[in-house]
Amino acid sequence: MKHSKVVDVLKSDKLLQPVTVKGWVRSFRNDRFIALNDGSTIHNIQCVLEDNAIDNKVQEKITVGAAVAITGTLVESQGKGQKVEIQITELKVVGESNPEELKLTILSPKRHSLEKLREQAHLRVRTNTFGAIMRVRSKLSFVIHEYFQKNNFYYVHTPVITKSDAEGAGEAFKVTNFDLTNVPKDETGAVNFKEDFFGAETNLTVSGQLEAETYAMGLGSVYTFGPTFRAENSNTSRHLAEFWMVEPEVAFCDLDGNMDLAEDFIKYVIQYALDNCADDLEFLENRLVQEDKQKPQAERSEMLLRDKLKFVLENNFKRVSYTEAIEILKNSKPNKKKKFKYIIEEWGADLQSEHERFLVEKHFKSPVILFDYPAKIKAFYMRLNEDGNTVRAMDILFPGIGEIVGGSQREERLEVLKEKMAALDIPEEELWWYLDTRRFGTCTHSGFGLGFERLVLFVTGMSNIRDVIPYPRTPLNAEF
Amino acid sequence: MKHSKVVDVLKSDKLLQPVTVKGWVRSFRNDRFIALNDGSTIHNIQCVLEDNAIDNKVQEKITVGAAVAITGTLVESQGKGQKVEIQITELKVVGESNPEELKLTILSPKRHSLEKLREQAHLRVRTNTFGAIMRVRSKLSFVIHEYFQKNNFYYVHTPVITKSDAEGAGEAFKVTNFDLTNVPKDETGAVNFKEDFFGAETNLTVSGQLEAETYAMGLGSVYTFGPTFRAENSNTSRHLAEFWMVEPEVAFCDLDGNMDLAEDFIKYVIQYALDNCADDLEFLENRLVQEDKQKPQAERSEMLLRDKLKFVLENNFKRVSYTEAIEILKNSKPNKKKKFKYIIEEWGADLQSEHERFLVEKHFKSPVILFDYPAKIKAFYMRLNEDGNTVRAMDILFPGIGEIVGGSQREERLEVLKEKMAALDIPEEELWWYLDTRRFGTCTHSGFGLGFERLVLFVTGMSNIRDVIPYPRTPLNAEF
């Protein structure tokens, strides 16, 4: 008999019909009630064992973590918390789970810290919390594609291995096929990259933007969604050495259009999560409430998880120029009382996380789009404003997360772009192909990058980025 | 006025209404007819310039490749090949394209070879052929997600940087943050990886399968779709150093279920392409007809591109055991007449591309699924059959492409798996987490890998894999 997914059985109204499910035992109470989970939903299905229905030797093997195949009759549940349950007629333990060995893992039935769960990242997806997170992550990934495809964007796989490191500034991982015990050198003692696999020095990409721009100049509207890398020694709850990024790029689109796109996109994605991840979000919301109870009042979330998501949907993101933001910050209490670690003294200062959080969480109490930043603190490819001092950059700041989107209108004028590259010592030869986009049919165009894990953090209410990606890569950690 | 996409304007029936389009000039005939393309479709929209409608100085700048913004009135077209055209009322050249400079690029209006186009991969997406290929590639990417999500699979981002190289056998690229001029060594002269970013030797992934298996044991049905890497010095039309792979993994699924899934999946994806890429496939079909005319009769395609795609939909893939296949090959004409480069003499031989092509293209004339291969020529994680000699592996072979899918039922028995690893000198410590999946609730499970670029090759009718990925990475080439 073909087996059914638990998510479907729980919704089924085919009472008194035979049904087969396969999954893992989450609990076995009173030698009678098996809570079975197959990963298709956060909910278990209760399977009820009648007295003497199965052999004692089989029954002994029904332990937490064991894989079982159950056939039975679907009946209305007498217990609360579920509409239906299965009266077992046949049960097979297909994969045992020795309780003594299990005790040494995070699958043992007691509370484990998130840190402990990270050490067994290969097992944590079998817990309620991580099952929920990873299902939400999957749905969010899908709706990103759906949004762009519906809006006539084309998905572009920009290269992961790349020669250009225009943005990376030394923060790119090196990719090589050399034997590291014996790296070939030339007569000057420099590494002879001509002998490497690609015949050149190569890195892991830090952004697909430049390549995406070349594609926007052909296909009009494109997006990337792929892994990006930073060899940055940041051991924080918001940084990963390997993370996924979404980067749309649109021809004939200015910064206002770019802000409209980003806001519409984020709202669409969050609405989809609310509509399609209701059970998992409910669980994660309750998890957060429990977690908050351990914290001092001041650190607790002001809103329930789903209320926070709805709040984002129902309010326009506040659009504020950098210059306005600096004024607000300069005159703010924490600045005057020197509560900020970095006091804002003048226009031109780079905003730190504490400033962004003040603007979003205290001042505006809403997602904020900051735009028109000082040219000096932003990348070379951003379009210079007529004032000669600011560029058409925009960052979207979210409560609890900080920067979730960074974007800009791109400098489409060949001569201005060349001047900016020269000022930053970026050799034209390295980006000849990028400059070509400004030589042939250049146009106003814009794009942004959204750090996917930060979005997942926001939607799931988790607080450490290592808990929203299956196998996090961080300094000194590439296990699994 | 907000501008419209050409794909929408061409389908519009709002005659005599004003419309604005923005895109690039593909041709400008008789100082009157501009063919404008914006990448949203293979088709251009014809824009007609009335005498003296615009300044002569502007008119001079309407050259091939220039970016223009056109406003006009949508009217029925008098010419053939299009239903509607735009009578221009306003035209702005926003990005010029100097004809003298353009002459040096592949954008110049003449035929360029595919090899030549590869050298300017940043511009080739602006040609009809590559615009079509990349739109099809995008649609195929999307439908892969749609198929799995519809069927309750969860998308898993398996890590790109990894310590395990169980399958790679030295074909994995190294990832490091070391200064390659001065790699730290320990007292024995070995590289001191403890000083590297991850504190260990790390590679680029060759497959996400092992990590996907751990997730299937929690979420039930999962898939990956991400970049994979091989540092293999293969300069062929079917190999890339960086390519995208799709890898579903399903708990409680045997090899038959795996074959069913793969066949259903491929057919769904191809049907979607036929339904959603009609214009691009028509163009690519005609391109192939033209290309074939340059070839000797014997090398030409037997079917038109779309007929070949429909043929796959309408026929069951032939399922043939390795043992049967060897018999067929041993008794085949090319084997007896020694036309094969590698003569099949006995059971156990590894099949070469020439054998696969014979089976698919000459003998069965249909996609073929070969299964139950000799254990010796397959990976350690494939399930050993009761005969002790063969494993539950399957490869799907496609006409003109060869292997498009490789998969297996996985060895779920801890002791058997350990024996196979020991025989191949794969240390248990390295894969402790993988072995855990067999320790706790192990179950029958299966999965496969589909080389995404090979699928794109098949659907677009292109013959070199470098032409179906935006920026191909191959030995000595990581440009752009």
Side-chain angles (χ1 to χ4, degrees), chain A residues 3 5 7-8 22-24 38-40 65-67 94-97 101-102 105 107 119 121-123 125-126 131 134-135 137-139 141-142 145-146 149 152-163 172-181 183 185 191 193-194 196-199 202 204 211 214-221 225 227 229 231-233 241-242 244 251-252 432-433 436-437 439-443 452 470-471 473-480, chain B residues 3 5 7-8 22-24 38-40 65-67 94-97 101-102 105 107 119 121-123 125-126 131 134-135 137-139 141-142 145-146 149 152-163 172-181 183 185 191 193-194 196-199 202 204 211 214-221 225 227 229 231-233 241-242 244 251-252 432-433 436-437 439-443 452 470-471 473-480:
Chain A
H3 67 280
K5 294 265 184 190
V7 66
D8 296 324
K22 298 181 177 181
W24 295 270
D38 69 356
S40 64
V94 299
E96 298 178 32
S97 181
E101 282 191 79
L102 196 80
T105 75
L107 296 178
E119 291 169 15
H122 64 306
L123 298 178
V125 70
R126 304 190 194 187
M134 296 307 166
R135 279 187 296 269
R137 183 180 168 106
S138 169
K139 296 281 187 194
S141 299
F142 179 66
H145 287 291
E146 185 184 79
Q149 298 266 340
N152 282 314
F153 283 65
Y154 293 100
Y155 182 32
V156 183
H157 290 117
T158 48
V160 174
I161 299 173
T162 171
K163 270 164 64 176
F173 285 104
K174 299 169 186 81
V175 175
T176 177
N177 202 26
F178 281 148
D179 173 0
L180 295 184
T181 52
V183 174
K185 307 272 169 74
V191 176
F193 286 108
K194 283 188 186 153
D196 206 351
F197 188 91
F198 295 108
T202 50
L204 290 180
E211 287 91 353
T214 66
Y215 261 57
M217 296 297 120
L219 299 179
S221 304
F225 186 5
F229 307 84
E232 205 181 338
N233 205 349
E242 173 178 330
W244 283 67
F252 304 106
W432 63 274
W433 50 273
D436 267 3
T437 56
R439 283 193 187 101
F440 307 110
T442 190
C443 69
F452 180 60
Y471 294 103
R473 267 63 182 119
T474 51
L476 299 181
N477 176 34
E479 194 61 47
F480 310 104
Chain B
H3 66 281
K5 293 265 185 191
V7 66
D8 296 324
K22 298 182 178 182
W24 295 271
D38 69 357
S40 64
V94 299
E96 298 178 33
S97 180
E101 282 191 80
L102 196 79
T105 76
L107 296 177
E119 291 167 15
H122 63 307
L123 298 178
V125 69
R126 305 190 194 186
M134 296 307 166
R135 278 187 295 269
R137 185 182 166 104
S138 169
K139 296 280 186 191
S141 300
F142 178 66
H145 288 291
E146 185 184 81
Q149 299 266 340
N152 283 314
F153 283 65
Y154 294 100
Y155 183 32
V156 183
H157 290 118
T158 48
V160 174
I161 299 174
T162 172
K163 269 165 64 177
F173 285 104
K174 300 169 185 80
V175 175
T176 178
N177 201 27
F178 282 148
D179 173 358
L180 295 185
T181 53
V183 174
K185 308 273 170 73
V191 176
F193 286 109
K194 284 188 185 152
D196 206 351
F197 187 92
F198 294 109
T202 50
L204 290 180
E211 287 91 353
T214 67
Y215 262 58
M217 295 299 118
L219 299 179
S221 305
F225 185 5
F229 306 85
E232 206 181 337
N233 206 349
E242 173 179 329
W244 284 66
F252 305 106
W432 63 275
W433 50 273
D436 266 4
T437 55
R439 282 193 188 100
F440 307 111
T442 189
C443 70
F452 180 59
Y471 294 104
R473 268 60 181 119
T474 51
L476 299 181
N477 176 34
E479 194 63 47
F480 310 105

Side-chain angles (χ1 to χ4, degrees), chain A residues 117-276:
Chain A
L117 290 166
R118 257 170 243 151
E119 291 169 15
Q120 296 180 19
H122 64 306
L123 298 178
R124 66 178 179 173
V125 70
R126 304 190 194 187
T127 66
N128 280 331
T129 298
F130 284 87
I133 294 167
M134 296 307 166
R135 279 187 296 269
V136 172
R137 183 180 168 106
S138 169
K139 296 281 187 194
L140 288 172
S141 299
F142 179 66
V143 68
I144 286 168
H145 287 291
E146 185 184 79
Y147 176 85
F148 287 120
Q149 298 266 340
K150 262 193 182 171
N151 288 288
N152 282 314
F153 283 65
Y154 293 100
Y155 182 32
V156 183
H157 290 117
T158 48
V160 174
I161 299 173
T162 171
K163 270 164 64 176
S164 59
D165 177 29
E167 260 205 288
E171 286 179 359
F173 285 104
K174 299 169 186 81
V175 175
T176 177
N177 202 26
F178 281 148
D179 173 0
L180 295 184
T181 52
N182 191 13
V183 174
K185 307 272 169 74
D186 64 16
E187 53 279 7
T188 72
V191 176
N192 188 358
F193 286 108
K194 283 188 186 153
E195 287 187 31
D196 206 351
F197 188 91
F198 295 108
E201 191 171 1
T202 50
N203 311 303
L204 290 180
T205 184
V206 295
S207 159
Q209 178 200 317
L210 305 193
E211 287 91 353
E213 282 188 56
T214 66
Y215 261 57
M217 296 297 120
L219 299 179
S221 304
V222 301
Y223 68 106
T224 73
F225 186 5
T228 40
F229 307 84
R230 295 281 154 84
E232 205 181 338
N233 205 349
S234 303
N235 247 318
T236 83
S237 60
R238 293 182 198 190
H239 290 88
L240 291 168
E242 173 178 330
F243 56 101
W244 283 67
M245 189 136 75
V246 181
E247 298 180 287
E249 191 69 37
V250 189
F252 304 106
C253 176
D254 63 13
L255 192 71
D256 289 325
N258 201 25
M259 292 194 263
D260 293 342
L261 175 69
E263 183 168 346
D264 188 57
F265 165 66
I266 290 174
K267 287 180 170 174
Y268 185 92
V269 162
I270 289 177
Q271 182 67 60
Y272 183 93
L274 283 167
D275 294 344
N276 292 275

Side-chain angles (χ1 to χ4, degrees), chain A residues 14 45 92 106 126 266 309 316 330 446-447:
Chain A
K14 290 187 181 151
I45 185 147
K92 213 177 144 188
I106 55 148
R126 304 190 194 187
I266 290 174
L309 299 179
N316 292 334
K330 256 167 57 180
S446 302

